[in-house]
Amino acid sequence: MCGIVGAIARRNVAKILLEGLSRLEYRGYDSSGVAINNLDGVSSHRAVGKVQALRDKFTAEPLDGKIGIAHTRWATHGKPTEANAHPHFSGEDLALVHNGIIENHEPLRRELKAKGYEFKSETDTEVIVHLIHDALKTEPDLLKAVQNVLTKLHGAFAIGVVKNDENGRFIAARKGSPLVVGVGIEENFIASDQLALLHVTDQFIFLEEGDVVELTRDQVTIFDEKGEVQERPISVFNHNVDATDKGEFRHYMMKEIYEQSSVISACLEGRISETKVLTSCFGAESEFLKDIENVHIVACGTSYHAGMVAKYWIEDLAGIPCSVEVASEYRYRKVAVPKKTLFLTLSQSGETADTLAALRMAKELGYLTTLAICNVPSSTLVRESALTLLTNAGPEIGVASTKAFTTQLTALLITSVAIAVENGLSAEKEQELVQAMRSLPAYINDALAQDAHIKVIADRFANKHNALFLGRGTMFPIALEGSLKLKEISYIHAEAYPAGELKHGPLALVDEDMPIIALVPHNDMLDKLKSNLQEVAARGGELYVFADKETDLHNEDNIVFTEVPKVDRILEPIVHTIPLQLLSYHVAVVKGTDVDQPRNLAKSVTVE
Ligand code: AGP
């Protein structure tokens, strides 16, 4: 997490950097800072809190210069204080910004202290800038000094470095953390994400692991890990810049909830015909589908919940085993890989450190192939996976994932059906499923029609401290996702259970202060779920039931009923997600929390 931006131009870069930081705030917003290199030296402003606090400092005391680096922080080492905010300096002339974690910072710090370096922060980052300063004593060329220092660092980094007497260039590098180069006309840039630079360019170079870059106004020179100059292709960004606007909505999260019908259409487009899943969507090598005998899905957070739904679909439709695991566990254990197993990762950002590490490990384990279902075409996950299915959700800015989740589910449904077809799914059933998928965007709109009603019931959650979500079958992962959304943005403690587990422990929590949110589609689990609800009602629990009309459930003394459209069973987890997103959104608004940037979190988790 953390976001970095850098610029070299013929104009003052301060505004470019501040705008870049605002666009990167989703990566962290504990503190921010800018260092500008001009003929008088390297000057800087740093501020605790959001980028606005830094903007206020620039208003009070503008900085002017044509080379600069900037940073927005998500604290890992050391509290969110001004002293820990980046850029970090060694002496007055050398400044650095860093995203990532330096794992061997402690021995490096001891070595540097022994050489007389004084540390002003608690960060791991400060060792890098002192190491470069130290290296410059024997290697006066900044580029070479940076290259030498990088060989000593263990962990993950993307860095930008400016030095006072280097008025025509600055240096950047990446290994394990994302960094793109933005190419302009007589100006060049770096950033953790291309979104940060869309106000100045739409041409990007995606750096590879171990790349070091020298940026001048007219040239970008890239050196690989061995120090050899490399040409990397320039890609042109093809999303509408307006996708990063809130438009008429008060929060990005609400805008993104409302976009779901159209982005699900975009996700389906070109992937299904009237009757079939078009396997060409997996690329030229779609023959892998017929060889799959097992599936391992690995992801984090909301993406993991999407994977849990896919397990039900794959085992039900294709009849082959599927396991789902959080990446932070998978990557640190010995995994037994059955023959002909597909390794499938899910990630909105494609930069999640644990998921990337899991992919890298999996590549050594003899999987059939690796498939990434991802929202960011230029991400590391996409570039490092053999096959990709993009979710086409467009930029998601709200930290709480919404449209990225439902498009992941849509892409997973396409994938599940494609695998099932190779495992004996009939043409008739395939057609039925594809037709269900085609009606999905309309059902999403129907589900959104409950917004006003959900806003009213959200008021009743404002003074609650706990909530319990229940579901069975594919509704269990949706219950988990609903509870994650509620805790992320409203800070209410929430848990989710498969409803059948209630009597094995969580029932002890139920009393009149505990709202129970039950997801109740009309399917073959209905009667069992109704019995579970009786168990709650008998203990005075307040039930919030999200169900379709055919369930014959309605408002009663201890039941608050919200209607969800009646849909084909396969679509239930996608459609039932919508009211839960709306519920968590409205509860957060009532509580007055920071909906788009909840405390302690960041959008893209690029550290372990
Ligand atoms: C979702 O609301 C969360 N912010 C978080 O759980 C997220 O899904 C997780 O960090 C994984 O991110 P990814 O999909 O970008 O890999």
Side-chain angles (χ1 to χ4, degrees):
M1 336 223 301
C2 301
I4 67 178
V5 196
I8 180 163
R10 293 201 185 278
R11 50 182 167 154
N12 180 13
V13 294
K15 267 195 184 163
I16 298 172
L17 297 175
L18 286 169
E19 176 58 25
L21 287 185
S22 294
R23 288 163 177 255
L24 285 182
E25 257 190 337
Y26 73 87
R27 299 179 66 87
Y29 31 82
D30 292 331
S31 64
S32 59
V34 166
I36 303 262
N37 192 10
N38 54 36
L39 295 173
D40 304 329
V42 182
S43 31
S44 114
H45 282 319
R46 297 184 296 176
V48 173
K50 295 198 172 180
V51 174
Q52 187 53 46
L54 186 68
R55 286 184 186 275
D56 293 344
K57 286 203 168 176
F58 269 82
T59 309
E61 191 191 337
L63 298 180
D64 197 331
K66 298 186 176 154
I67 307 180
I69 51 175
H71 187 271
T72 180
R73 179 168 185 249
W74 184 79
T76 56
H77 294 65
K79 291 194 171 134
T81 59
E82 195 165 314
N84 288 330
H86 301 215
H88 290 287
F89 278 74
S90 190
E92 311 242 300
D93 295 340
L94 182 69
L96 172 136
V97 288
H98 165 227
N99 167 34
I101 287 184
I102 303 305
E103 286 167 1
N104 58 336
H105 71 102
E106 279 170 357
L108 293 172
R109 186 183 280 252
R110 282 195 292 276
E111 268 172 45
L112 287 160
K113 277 187 173 169
K115 287 183 175 175
Y117 282 95
E118 273 181 35
F119 282 78
K120 295 186 176 141
S121 76
E122 303 156 277
T123 64
D124 52 335
T125 301
E126 200 180 346
V127 299
I128 316 176
V129 72
H130 290 317
L131 282 171
I132 297 171
H133 186 275
D134 191 42
L136 283 165
K137 291 174 189 160
T138 49
E139 173 49 81
D141 180 72
L142 180 62
L143 170 70
K144 288 189 182 140
V146 170
Q147 284 171 316
N148 292 346
V149 165
L150 297 185
T151 61
K152 297 182 182 163
L153 304 179
H154 301 166
F157 55 79
I159 58 167
V161 190
V162 294
K163 184 165 175 286
N164 181 21
D165 54 6
E166 297 274 354
N167 251 318
R169 66 173 179 171
F170 77 102
I171 309 295
R174 74 153 286 203
K175 189 171 185 179
S177 298
L179 195 69
V180 297
V181 171
V183 181
I185 299 164
E186 296 190 342
E187 52 189 20
N188 289 306
F189 315 91
I190 55 160
S192 301
D193 181 334
Q194 54 191 344
L195 286 183
L197 298 174
L198 289 179
H199 56 304
V200 282
T201 185
D202 62 358
Q203 315 242 331
F204 296 96
I205 299 172
F206 296 96
L207 297 177
E208 296 198 359
E209 287 289 277
D211 279 353
V212 179
V213 201
E214 179 188 58
L215 295 105
T216 65
R217 279 170 203 100
D218 304 310
Q219 206 164 340
V220 172
T221 314
I222 300 171
F223 303 86
D224 65 14
E225 210 156 6
K226 292 185 199 133
E228 282 162 21
V229 175
Q230 296 292 341
E231 288 290 321
R232 306 255 184 253
I234 295 184
S235 328
V236 179
F237 186 82
N238 66 1
H239 277 299
N240 186 342
V241 181
D242 288 347
T244 59
D245 266 0
K246 274 201 275 263
E248 71 199 77
F249 294 93
R250 185 166 156 201
H251 297 101
Y252 282 112
M253 182 180 176
M254 196 52 150
K255 176 188 175 232
E256 289 157 4
I257 289 174
Y258 269 82
E259 278 173 356
Q260 288 176 106
S261 167
S262 66
V263 293
I264 285 174
S265 296
C267 182
L268 290 169
E269 199 182 316
R271 275 98 184 250
I272 52 172
S273 70
E274 293 288 324
T275 54
K276 286 183 160 317
V277 162
L278 303 172
T279 52
S280 54
C281 66
F282 297 102
E285 293 160 49
S286 61
E287 318 84 67
F288 78 97
L289 288 165
K290 65 177 180 326
D291 296 327
I292 301 170
E293 289 181 4
N294 285 280
V295 182
H296 283 181
I297 300 179
V298 174
C300 301
T302 287
S303 298
Y304 168 69
H305 296 154
M308 287 178 76
V309 174
K311 176 183 166 67
Y312 286 88
W313 285 338
I314 291 171
E315 298 206 348
D316 181 9
L317 298 173
I320 62 169
C322 173
S323 72
V324 191
E325 191 166 356
V326 286
S328 55
E329 288 300 316
Y330 176 94
R331 64 180 289 194
Y332 287 117
R333 71 179 186 89
K334 205 167 165 197
V335 181
V337 183
K339 67 180 170 71
K340 299 195 175 175
T341 301
L342 169 70
F343 184 77
L344 199 169
T345 51
L346 297 164
S347 175
Q348 187 285 130
S349 60
E351 301 296 347
T352 301
D354 286 322
T355 309
L356 285 172
L359 169 67
R360 287 168 191 156
M361 180 176 125
K363 283 162 114 175
E364 307 300 318
L365 295 180
Y367 280 95
L368 178 67
T369 190
T370 58
L371 169 65
I373 292 186
C374 186
N375 191 34
V376 181
S378 53
S379 63
T380 310
L381 192 75
V382 167
R383 281 180 282 130
E384 294 191 10
S385 298
L387 302 156
T388 304
L389 186 60
L390 292 173
T391 48
N392 294 342
E396 188 181 68
I397 311 290
V399 165
S401 201
T402 52
K403 62 175 181 169
F405 178 65
T406 47
T407 51
Q408 278 174 345
L409 288 175
T410 308
L412 282 165
L413 186 50
I414 293 167
T415 308
S416 306
V417 175
I419 297 172
V421 167
E422 298 294 345
N423 284 276
L425 188 82
S426 69
E428 198 186 358
K429 183 72 183 164
E430 183 183 12
Q431 179 168 357
E432 184 188 314
L433 292 166
V434 162
Q435 275 168 7
M437 287 185 221
R438 299 177 82 82
S439 51
L440 192 47
Y443 286 137
I444 299 291
N445 284 332
D446 292 348
L448 285 168
Q450 291 295 336
D451 189 12
H453 160 76
I454 293 170
K455 189 173 176 197
V456 173
I457 63 173
D459 272 344
R460 302 169 68 148
F461 283 72
N463 57 0
K464 300 289 183 199
H465 299 290
N466 302 288
L468 189 58
F469 287 70
L470 300 176
R472 296 190 81 127
T474 53
M475 288 299 122
F476 168 50
I478 301 308
L480 281 169
E481 175 58 12
S483 75
L484 178 66
K485 287 286 90 81
L486 191 68
K487 48 189 139 181
E488 265 186 309
I489 60 167
S490 70
Y491 315 149
I492 293 175
H493 168 239
E495 294 198 48
Y497 274 90
E501 277 291 291
L502 198 57
K503 55 190 172 296
H504 298 294
L507 199 54
L509 294 170
V510 174
D511 63 14
E512 55 285 359
D513 282 334
M514 172 73 90
I516 319 283
I517 296 101
L519 312 180
V520 197
H522 183 263
N523 61 30
D524 52 10
M525 300 301 281
L526 178 63
D527 290 338
K528 295 200 182 307
L529 218 139
K530 279 185 170 170
S531 311
N532 301 140
L533 300 188
Q534 290 302 326
E535 293 160 11
V536 173
R539 276 131 192 116
E542 191 176 31
L543 271 166
Y544 292 83
V545 171
F546 291 81
D548 57 72
K549 270 191 182 151
E550 291 181 22
T551 57
D552 202 25
L553 287 160
H554 34 78
N555 273 325
E556 278 176 49
D557 278 356
N558 54 356
I559 295 188
V560 179
F561 178 78
T562 301
E563 189 184 334
V564 183
K566 170 76 187 110
V567 296
D568 307 70
R569 183 166 189 180
I570 201 79
L571 304 182
E572 284 167 355
I574 308 180
V575 174
H576 270 257
T577 300
I578 308 298
L580 300 189
Q581 295 171 343
L582 290 168
L583 179 68
S584 61
Y585 173 79
H586 288 300
V587 174
V589 170
V590 175
K591 292 196 72 180
T593 57
D594 191 338
V595 172
D596 286 329
Q597 296 179 333
R599 69 186 180 200
N600 305 339
L601 300 180
K603 182 74 183 158
S604 182
V605 186
T606 57
V607 294
E608 254 197 271

